[in-house]
Amino acid sequence: MLEMKEISRVYRTDLVETHALRELSLSVDTGEFVAVTGPSGSGKTTFLNIAGLLETATSGEYSLDGTDVSGLNDNQRSRIRNEKIGFIFQSFNLIPDLNIFDNVDVPLRYRGFDGAERRGRIEKALDQVGLAARMKHLPSQLSGGQQQRAAIARALAGGPSFLLADEPTGNLDSLMARQVMDLLEKINNEGTTIVMVTHDPELARRAHRNVQLLDGQLASPDPFSASQSTPIEADLQPVA
Amino acid sequence: MFLYNLRLARMSLMKQPLLTTLMVSAIGIGVGACMTILTFVYVLSSDPIPEKSDELFAVRVDSWNPESPYDDDKPEEAPWQLTHTDAMALLESDVPTRHAAMRKAVYTVVPDNPEVAPFFNVARMTGGDFFEMFQVPFLYGSGWGPSADENAENVIVLGHETNEKVFGGTNSVGKTITLGTEIFTVVGVIDDWQPHILFYDMNNGETNPVEDIFLPFSITDRREINGAGNTNCWKDEQIDGYFDLLRSECVYVQFWAELNSAEQKAEYQRWLDNYTEGQKALGRFQRPTNNRLSTVTEWMEVQDVVEDEVMVVMSIGFLFLTACLVNTIGLILARFVAKGPIIGLRRALGASKAAIFRQHLVEVGLVGVAGGVLGLILSRLGIKGVQQLLSESDNLAALNLDLLLITFGIAVVSAIVAGLYPTWRVCQLPPAGYLKTQ
Amino acid sequence: MEFRPILSAMLRNKTGSILVALQIALTLSIVVNCMFLAKQRIDHVNRPTGMDVDNIISVRSMGFGTDYDHDRTIDNDLRLLREMPGVISASHSSGLPMNGSGSANGFAGSPDEDASRVTANYYHVDERMLDSLGTTLAAGRMFRDVEIRRADNELLNRMPQQVVITQALADKLFDGEPALGKRMYDGLGESAEVVGILEHMYGAWVGWSDFDQVAMFPQRTEGPHIRYIVRAEPGKRDELIPLIEKTLADSDRTRLIRGVSSMEETTRNSYEGDFAIAVTLSVAVGLLLGVTGLGIVGLASFTVRQRTKQIGTRRAIGARKRDIIRYFLIENWLMTTIGIVLGTVLTIAINYSLASAFNTDQLNYGFLVAGMFMLWLLGFMAVAEPARRAAQVSPAIATRTV
């Protein structure tokens, strides 16, 4: 599914070279729920950016779904992000001027689906996250947890190969955080691969597999086994 | 607090130099353009002799064609000038405190000094009352007395320039000067005198310079002169030469009277009406009696000193300023809204709405002052440019304190008007709203 | 492709969009009205004159001495002028067309008391005047040498026997019938035979609507004033001007030579009011387009900066650079178009109020269309750079926490 081989990323300024990732190799299988953890400065964000094709690696190979994506140009990478990757950001990154429906619609527009197709996908995705009733609301009219669920719907709507989550609960209180995690688990259970970057070991524990980064390298083999938990349907009810 | 606000405003403006430059330029250009044209309108429409413009009257009697009015666009008006016959008759009245008939003429000045080539000069033929009536300042001597008018004496008042050319700028009173083939005695030399509107004769270019030689009007009645200026005739009459023209119904004489009270004015009006009644009996003045006395400013209005074209350009100037202000409102709003989080913080720290309002008003005020300075500079350039186009000298728009203050006032008021809505908007921000993440 | 979401996002930020639209509207209405008024002035200035304006020199003489003899001076002056190398033709005339001062009178096409009178500028000229002005006859003939009355002629104040008139005057006098050979009458019942028709010529006052109604009579002007009109060979005008002044001044001390100038300069002076207005309005158009353009650049750059995160997010979820550029172009185009719609109404309203207040003409709608395209182009140019910068926003911004 996701295959990184000896990925390095070097940031250069006139004075210093920073090695954010050093020959990182990692593979994630279809259906997995992997948590990437590590302290600040360990290269988590760089990993996330490279995994999400937001940045390119300085060296190394990266393939998604069996195709090499390391040498793609900007347009091609946009296309892959749009079709194969569903992003979930720490600060949700919903567009404040658009209502929830239109927010979920954004990636579908770039995909070039026709109106009926988009409507179907949006409704389905919002249904999945339990926000079907709120589709005409603006982000500012929703709670943080609801906003993150809307963002998840946006990530799901395009039918991505995997979800890439960046501290998905970082801006949420514990109740809402738990609801969002439950939702992610449910989505994973339904078959979507999830790669989650977090510094919170508590959260990481809910993934199948943990990968720890330290100084841009894998710190140790996966110490945890997956701990499965059953999502509680009641928790998916919107919190007003 | 004001100084604190001023410092905040300065810091805030310096932080985004591009937006600040755009705002100041927009106001500056708007005000500059508007003031350029406003200056011309202001100068053209301002009173050229404010001390006594209400006591000076342009006198007109309606001797025109019984079939049609003098000016089809203003049929209620009498002709703008008088016939020579009527001017001479009106001079007989002893009602006005002072009065003068006048017309333009051209002369060749032949200096006694053979080194100085003869030169052409425009003369004003007028009465001795002219100088007192219009408060003409004298460098040497004075105007001539009533006897010179009565006897059509060869006396002359010189302008500065002619006195310079012929007498080297010395006191020439008592000396003689040759005009064409005639010799005149200098009785006075006038000091610099140039009303910005040549109000006493607006028939021949209202911003023309004052004539540089003055001679008694009565001369025109006794011997042939080279008249100049607009002459309008309506009657089919055979005019053979100069003296025929004097006796004709053609109008070319301007007439002014000084009347110091309403009673005096009423009495003069009766005198005029009485005169024209008498003329009707002789077969002249077949139009309805329409003898008019207009003050200087009324007369300027009748003469359309500020032309429609200028008013069109002025209307466009104000629209232009509006467009610049809308531009500025957009820019101010953008930057104020961007400051939302900081404003939220200030509110949270206890600033009242009024304090926030004042702070931002000071900021837009500062933009206004900067825009005003720029506008002032641009309007000076604009005025220079237009004067160049009109090949006019600088007398029209000499730096004038009123205009300076108006320019500045317009700039600051514009900026504050433009800033009012954005300022109001920032005050409406809830103190908490912007403290949350994002 | 994405009109609706862009429009609804704009409607959330109503004030900003309204301000841009309003500004576009005001700019359109001012620009269109200014261009229209300026073009009218320019057309007015550029009317074809039918005269060789570029090569004509005018000079005035005013006699003053006791020994001054008007006819003798004119004879001498014309001889001197015509002998000068570089001079094509020289004539005496009572005035110079288009210089702002002249004489006019009412004439009629029949001796009838009630015949309607047509006002025409008239000039007293000599037999070579056409050559001196560089104009031509449409029909008939110019005056003959012997027909020109000298200044000592005792009938000088009576109407001469012949007249040459412009086609425009002929049409008014004789209702479009052939004028050649007919007689033109003045108010005293005197008349002259129309011997020639001028194809085209202008009179004294450039602002007068009947500027093209001109008549020429064969006589000299009563002393002591006289004007000469001299036509120079192309390129010789400027060197002839000082030469003419000196030659004439030195030849006769009983008069004053003044006002030696090219007709081009005189004409420019006559039109300087029109010219000043055209220039002022054009400068206003330029400044306003600049202010509006820069204002849009400023607002758009600001918006881009404000929306950096949003742009990064869009990029992260699959927008290509060109999608981002397109977003800003469409957004700007929508605001501009709303502004143009508003502006069209405003333009017509302003034109209407100027027309009713100051008698300006009704707008030619071609200018409105031109103005619309100008503003579309301006909006496009102004937003191009900010949009390009927006496209440079890295998608990695999306993962950055504020």
Side-chain angles (χ1 to χ4, degrees):
Chain A
M1 165 86 258
L2 180 156
E3 183 85 46
M4 286 185 176
K5 271 189 197 155
E6 298 181 348
I7 293 284
S8 294
R9 182 66 168 104
V10 185
Y11 294 106
R12 287 193 183 86
T13 67
D14 287 344
L15 296 173
V16 283
E17 277 194 357
T18 315
H19 292 261
L21 290 180
R22 301 164 195 265
E23 302 191 336
L24 176 80
S25 296
L26 178 73
S27 77
V28 176
D29 289 335
T30 310
E32 264 197 297
F33 186 166
V34 178
V36 178
T37 59
S40 282
S42 59
K44 287 197 309 288
T45 301
T46 309
F47 166 76
L48 177 84
N49 286 347
I50 288 172
L53 297 184
L54 300 177
E55 267 181 49
T56 48
T58 314
S59 66
E61 271 176 37
Y62 179 27
S63 61
L64 266 180
D65 269 348
T67 26
D68 182 15
V69 295
S70 341
L72 299 182
N73 68 22
D74 193 89
N75 274 348
Q76 291 165 322
R77 281 187 284 129
S78 296
R79 192 85 199 148
I80 302 276
R81 287 198 298 268
N82 187 257
E83 287 175 5
K84 302 208 164 170
I85 308 175
F87 279 100
I88 300 165
F89 304 100
Q90 175 175 359
S91 46
F92 328 137
N93 290 7
L94 294 172
I95 294 169
D97 300 328
L98 297 179
N99 64 28
I100 298 307
F101 182 95
D102 284 334
N103 260 291
V104 178
D105 190 34
V106 172
L108 305 180
R109 292 244 178 203
Y110 293 131
R111 186 81 73 91
F113 288 140
D114 65 29
E117 168 93 36
R118 295 202 315 266
R119 171 160 288 275
R121 281 172 176 263
I122 296 165
E123 282 168 0
K124 185 167 160 256
L126 285 173
D127 212 31
Q128 251 182 305
V129 302
L131 281 179
R134 307 266 162 160
M135 61 169 83
K136 293 292 171 208
H137 286 61
L138 285 176
S140 57
Q141 295 166 315
L142 300 181
S143 71
Q146 288 172 322
Q147 288 189 39
Q148 191 59 301
R149 274 152 51 202
I152 294 171
R154 181 175 65 186
L156 287 175
S161 307
F162 71 102
L163 292 186
L164 195 55
D166 172 21
E167 301 279 14
T169 61
N171 281 5
L172 300 175
D173 62 35
S174 56
L175 175 67
M176 288 182 184
R178 196 158 53 87
Q179 291 174 355
V180 166
M181 281 312 294
D182 292 344
L183 176 61
L184 286 178
E185 259 168 11
K186 186 190 106 174
I187 290 162
N188 179 244
N189 286 341
E190 286 162 0
T192 307
T193 314
I194 298 180
V195 176
M196 176 175 75
V197 173
T198 180
H199 70 282
D200 182 356
E202 199 64 33
L203 267 185
R205 209 163 294 136
R206 296 182 68 163
H208 299 169
R209 179 154 72 97
N210 267 18
V211 172
Q212 205 185 352
L213 280 180
L214 205 60
D215 283 340
Q217 288 173 310
L218 286 186
S220 61
D222 180 5
F224 303 106
S225 63
S227 65
Q228 294 283 16
S229 72
T230 324
I232 304 157
E233 289 302 321
D235 276 350
L236 292 180
Q237 290 309 307
V239 179
Chain B
M1 203 60 197
F2 177 73
L3 285 179
Y4 176 67
N5 279 339
L6 207 58
R7 209 177 69 215
L8 286 181
R10 203 181 53 107
M11 269 160 43
S12 157
L13 292 173
M14 304 276 272
K15 220 176 91 185
Q16 296 198 300
L18 180 75
L19 273 189
T20 305
T21 311
L22 282 179
M23 288 191 303
V24 171
S25 323
I27 292 190
I29 290 173
V31 169
C34 211
M35 284 315 297
T36 299
I37 182 66
L38 203 61
T39 300
F40 282 89
V41 175
Y42 178 92
V43 171
L44 283 177
S45 52
S46 63
D47 191 341
I49 178 165
E51 311 84 70
K52 57 189 297 189
S53 66
D54 290 343
E55 296 173 18
L56 299 176
F57 294 87
V59 182
R60 286 156 303 136
V61 296
D62 198 345
S63 60
W64 204 247
N65 187 354
E67 309 291 325
S68 65
Y70 177 75
D71 182 355
D72 288 331
D73 293 334
K74 293 183 176 170
E76 73 285 1
E77 284 296 331
W80 294 356
Q81 304 180 92
L82 303 188
T83 63
H84 185 85
T85 313
D86 292 326
M88 294 309 285
L90 261 54
L91 284 172
E92 297 300 319
S93 169
D94 49 16
V95 180
T97 311
R98 299 184 179 89
H99 58 187
M102 59 192 81
R103 65 173 299 195
K104 235 164 115 165
V106 292
Y107 278 96
T108 306
V109 179
V110 189
D112 290 340
N113 181 353
E115 305 272 298
V116 185
F119 61 94
F120 172 85
N121 222 332
V122 179
R124 178 139 300 262
M125 317 295 293
T126 185
D129 280 357
F130 179 95
F131 307 99
E132 287 268 308
M133 186 157 62
F134 297 143
Q135 302 181 324
V136 180
F138 273 85
L139 194 58
Y140 305 116
S142 64
W144 58 81
S147 67
D149 279 328
E150 245 159 68
N151 306 323
E153 287 171 16
N154 278 10
V155 289
I156 186 169
V157 165
L158 297 182
H160 213 240
E161 206 176 307
T162 303
N163 190 50
E164 190 67 41
K165 271 194 205 164
V166 180
F167 299 106
T170 58
N171 184 350
S172 55
V173 172
K175 296 188 179 157
T176 60
I177 182 170
T178 311
L179 302 183
T181 53
E182 283 188 87
I183 294 169
F184 291 80
T185 306
V186 179
V187 294
V189 177
I190 65 175
D191 207 346
D192 284 330
W193 184 60
Q194 179 62 58
H196 63 267
I197 298 293
L198 201 68
F199 63 91
Y200 57 77
D201 181 7
M202 291 184 280
N203 299 283
N204 304 297
E206 26 328 77
T207 53
N208 274 4
V210 166
E211 296 81 3
D212 214 44
I213 51 181
F214 295 84
L215 304 167
F217 180 79
S218 43
I219 291 176
T220 69
D221 198 37
R222 315 281 168 93
R223 50 187 185 265
E224 212 164 317
I225 61 155
N226 284 310
N230 269 328
T231 302
N232 300 76
C233 313
W234 58 271
K235 196 174 178 184
D236 295 323
E237 49 192 339
Q238 183 59 48
I239 298 169
D240 282 319
Y242 180 81
F243 291 100
D244 266 10
L245 184 66
L246 292 190
R247 287 185 291 268
S248 76
E249 287 293 345
C250 295
V251 296
Y252 51 83
V253 182
Q254 303 90 45
F255 199 97
W256 285 82
E258 179 178 340
L259 303 164
N260 306 104
S261 67
E263 296 78 52
Q264 197 182 10
K265 184 187 171 195
E267 192 189 343
Y268 192 48
Q269 184 78 53
R270 280 194 299 277
W271 190 95
L272 289 176
D273 292 349
N274 198 25
Y275 166 71
T276 53
E277 281 313 310
Q279 292 295 303
K280 278 180 199 282
L282 298 173
R284 296 182 67 226
F285 287 85
Q286 293 306 300
R287 294 182 62 75
T289 302
N290 185 18
N291 303 323
R292 299 182 84 89
L293 298 170
S294 316
T295 64
V296 173
T297 43
E298 285 166 353
W299 186 221
M300 280 166 66
E301 213 153 296
V302 174
Q303 295 269 320
D304 290 323
V305 170
V306 182
E307 288 167 62
D308 276 0
E309 278 93 340
V310 178
M311 295 307 287
V312 168
V313 177
M314 187 168 83
S315 318
I316 285 174
F318 277 105
L319 283 170
F320 187 101
L321 180 61
T322 313
C324 290
L325 286 188
V326 171
N327 188 317
T328 314
I329 295 177
L331 295 169
I332 295 179
L333 186 67
R335 51 181 299 148
F336 281 7
V337 166
K339 279 167 54 177
I342 304 173
I343 293 162
L345 182 64
R346 283 186 180 278
R347 294 289 317 271
L349 292 176
S352 66
K353 268 190 188 182
I356 297 289
F357 192 82
R358 278 196 300 272
Q359 179 195 333
H360 289 86
L361 220 50
V362 169
E363 188 169 329
V364 295
L366 202 59
V367 170
V369 171
V373 173
L374 182 65
L376 209 59
I377 296 168
L378 291 179
S379 68
R380 299 314 301 176
L381 286 176
I383 291 162
K384 278 266 176 330
V386 176
Q387 281 179 333
Q388 201 103 62
L389 287 172
L390 294 173
S391 44
E392 267 173 20
S393 56
D394 208 25
N395 69 19
L396 187 60
L399 196 60
N400 172 318
L401 190 65
D402 284 1
L403 283 167
L404 202 84
L405 291 176
I406 292 175
T407 307
F408 234 74
I410 287 189
V412 175
V413 169
S414 305
I416 288 176
V417 166
L420 223 48
Y421 174 71
T423 308
W424 177 81
R425 270 278 295 265
V426 293
C427 289
Q428 302 311 304
L429 296 175
Y434 273 85
L435 286 180
K436 284 202 288 184
T437 326
Q438 274 219 290
Chain C
M1 73 157 208
E2 40 187 344
F3 270 38
R4 198 193 52 79
I6 295 179
L7 200 60
S8 55
M10 269 172 55
L11 290 177
R12 300 250 171 275
N13 281 314
K14 263 192 230 93
T15 327
S17 317
I18 290 174
L19 285 174
V20 173
L22 199 60
Q23 201 189 334
I24 293 280
L26 277 166
T27 305
L28 178 73
S29 58
I30 296 170
V31 164
V32 170
N33 277 296
C34 282
M35 288 195 311
F36 174 63
L37 293 170
K39 182 70 178 20
Q40 279 193 317
R41 295 290 159 172
I42 291 168
D43 286 349
H44 190 240
V45 173
N46 287 343
R47 288 175 296 183
T49 63
M51 290 172 267
D52 188 10
V53 174
D54 287 346
N55 295 310
I56 292 171
I57 300 164
S58 161
V59 48
R60 300 172 74 176
S61 160
M62 176 177 164
F64 61 88
T66 26
D67 307 334
Y68 178 71
D69 179 332
H70 197 54
D71 276 318
R72 192 188 63 206
T73 301
I74 295 175
D75 289 338
N76 280 333
D77 287 348
L78 284 176
R79 186 176 43 77
L80 283 171
L81 287 170
R82 286 165 183 166
E83 277 169 3
M84 288 177 79
V87 169
I88 294 177
S89 171
S91 295
H92 62 75
S93 166
S94 57
L96 174 69
M98 313 208 293
N99 78 340
S101 97
S103 312
N105 198 356
F107 298 102
S110 88
D112 212 341
E113 280 265 330
D114 302 329
S116 69
R117 306 265 285 269
V118 182
T119 309
N121 262 147
Y122 64 88
Y123 293 96
H124 294 152
V125 304
D126 68 9
E127 74 284 0
R128 302 200 197 179
M129 186 62 166
L130 294 186
D131 246 358
S132 302
L133 286 176
T135 181
T136 47
L137 285 180
R141 62 171 180 87
M142 191 50 186
F143 306 122
R144 299 188 181 106
D145 189 5
V146 293
E147 287 167 349
I148 312 294
R149 288 174 176 172
R150 294 171 66 86
D152 57 8
N153 190 312
E154 56 203 24
L155 292 173
L156 205 62
N157 286 310
R158 306 290 161 121
M159 199 167 176
Q161 284 307 298
Q162 302 83 19
V163 67
V164 168
I165 60 178
T166 56
Q167 188 68 57
L169 178 59
D171 289 347
K172 283 262 184 79
L173 284 173
F174 304 108
D175 291 326
E177 286 174 41
L180 219 53
K182 294 215 167 66
R183 296 193 79 82
M184 183 178 97
Y185 297 83
D186 70 7
L188 296 167
E190 306 223 8
S191 69
E193 184 193 344
V194 177
V195 297
I197 308 287
L198 281 162
E199 201 161 359
H200 193 72
M201 188 181 155
Y202 282 139
W205 305 293
V206 296
W208 185 33
S209 54
D210 296 331
F211 186 40
D212 53 359
Q213 295 173 9
V214 184
M216 289 181 178
F217 292 109
Q219 71 171 30
R220 290 180 172 179
T221 300
E222 197 182 0
H225 296 281
I226 192 74
R227 182 191 288 271
Y228 304 109
I229 292 183
V230 181
R231 182 155 156 245
E233 287 170 11
K236 295 279 173 59
R237 184 192 78 189
D238 292 344
E239 59 192 76
L240 272 174
I241 287 177
L243 213 59
I244 288 175
E245 177 152 24
K246 188 169 178 351
T247 311
L248 293 192
D250 289 351
S251 72
D252 186 344
R253 301 280 182 182
T254 61
R255 57 83 186 277
L256 201 63
I257 290 294
R258 65 188 184 99
V260 192
S261 58
S262 68
M263 187 174 184
E264 192 193 358
E265 187 187 333
T266 315
T267 311
R268 199 165 51 229
N269 286 340
S270 302
Y271 279 121
E272 79 185 355
D274 295 283
F275 189 68
I277 286 179
V279 171
T280 308
L281 293 177
S282 309
V283 168
V285 166
L287 281 176
L288 189 56
L289 288 176
V291 167
T292 302
L294 287 176
I296 294 175
V297 171
L299 275 182
S301 311
F302 182 81
T303 314
V304 168
R305 219 175 319 142
Q306 286 290 98
R307 293 197 207 148
T308 305
K309 188 74 179 254
Q310 183 189 134
I311 296 162
T313 307
R314 283 179 182 273
R315 291 277 285 133
I317 60 181
R320 291 162 299 179
K321 287 187 174 172
R322 75 172 86 128
D323 293 322
I324 300 296
I325 292 181
R326 184 156 54 193
Y327 183 94
F328 282 96
L329 293 187
I330 291 177
E331 185 184 61
N332 181 266
W333 184 85
L334 279 173
M335 287 192 283
T336 310
T337 305
I338 295 171
I340 284 174
V341 172
L342 271 176
T344 302
V345 179
L346 197 58
T347 305
I348 294 168
I350 288 172
N351 172 253
Y352 181 79
S353 27
L354 287 180
S356 53
F358 307 116
N359 276 321
T360 52
D361 286 348
Q362 209 215 336
L363 182 67
N364 172 343
Y365 290 102
F367 285 88
L368 187 56
V369 175
M372 288 176 178
F373 281 104
M374 264 166 96
L375 281 166
W376 266 315
L377 187 67
L378 181 78
F380 175 77
M381 292 197 314
V383 85
E385 173 57 21
R388 199 190 59 77
R389 241 177 304 135
Q392 300 307 316
V393 169
S394 158
I397 290 280
T399 60
R400 211 173 288 162
T401 339
V402 200

